[in-house]
Structure formats: C-alpha cells, structure tokens
Amino acid sequence: MNANDKQHRAILQSIAHQAMLDRGLLPDFLPQHSPNLDGFRYLRPIAGEPVRDLRNLLWASIDNDDSLDLDQLTVAEAVPGENIKILVAIADVDSVVKNGSAIDEHAHHNTTSVYTAAEIFQCFLKNFLPTSPP
C-alpha cells in the first residue's frame, strides 16, 4: 500500500468512526473493556460430559475467507448406513461473558459488529476469549 492509499484509507476510517459516533454507537473500546479475567466465565462441561475439541474437522463458514469472526460454522461427517451427520457450531459468547461486565456493557450498547469499507468495528475485542481457566 503506497502513501496515497494509506492517506485515503485514513480518511475513510475517520469518516466511518464519526458515522458510528453520529449514530450513538461506540467505535472504540475503552481501557475498562480490555480483556481481563473479571469479565469472563469459563465454560464447564454440561451434565458431566467432557468438552470435545473438534478443531480437527474441516469446518466451512459463510464468512469471507480472511474473516477472523467465525461465529457460525458447519461440517458434514459420513456415518454408518450411507448417512451424513451435519454439525453446526454457533458462537455462544453470552455464555462466557459475565453479565454487567465492561465487555458485556459495550456489546449491549452496540449489539453487533459494524462492517464498513474502511474498518470493522467489532462487537467484542479481537481475541478476547480465553481458551482455558487460569
């Protein structure tokens, strides 16, 4: 990206940022939104069932190929009898963010991620979910 492209991108980002503010949305995360363990609940097994790691499956997403916001995925598995089992993964962020935490309040205010040509304003901080209890 050359200097002229960077300048144009910065202008578009500034316009998008102001448009968010004009519509009452919060384009920026404040320091209290920083990922800290106070805002999280760790997932626990349901009814004693272990959590299964399914990352080895070939999941498909309707998101762009460069998206890091993979909140809904599907995969098909062959099962006996010439049948197919379809698995659907849906991000349940609400189950791991504490009600009333700063992160929850920010998400409650905006309610969704906002996609613009210049920038994506995430509903949650990027990479905010911890993967295991401390």
Side-chain angles (χ1 to χ4, degrees), residues 25-130:
L25 298 171
L26 303 173
D28 301 308
F29 287 97
L30 301 174
Q32 64 265 31
H33 299 135
S34 67
N36 61 61
L37 299 181
D38 294 335
F40 302 107
R41 295 185 295 244
Y42 288 95
L43 295 176
R44 301 287 181 228
I46 298 170
E49 294 183 29
V51 175
R52 294 183 299 153
D53 184 350
L54 302 176
R55 289 177 290 181
N56 64 318
L57 299 177
L58 188 58
W59 293 94
S61 170
I62 61 169
D63 292 311
N64 297 342
D65 61 357
D66 61 346
S67 175
L68 299 177
D69 182 21
L70 301 176
D71 51 2
Q72 57 245 346
L73 304 166
T74 56
V75 67
E77 286 185 322
V79 294
E82 297 187 22
N83 293 312
I84 297 174
K85 177 168 65 171
I86 305 293
L87 301 175
V88 177
I90 301 170
D92 185 11
V93 176
D94 185 56
S95 67
V96 294
V97 175
K98 287 182 183 174
N99 191 24
S101 67
I103 293 170
D104 180 52
E105 293 299 323
H106 181 89
H108 183 263
H109 185 91
N110 282 3
T111 71
T112 188
S113 295
V114 177
Y115 297 82
T116 71
E119 186 173 352
I120 297 172
F121 298 93
Q122 301 287 342
C123 186
F124 293 103
L125 290 165
K126 292 179 184 177
N127 303 319
F128 84 102
L129 289 177

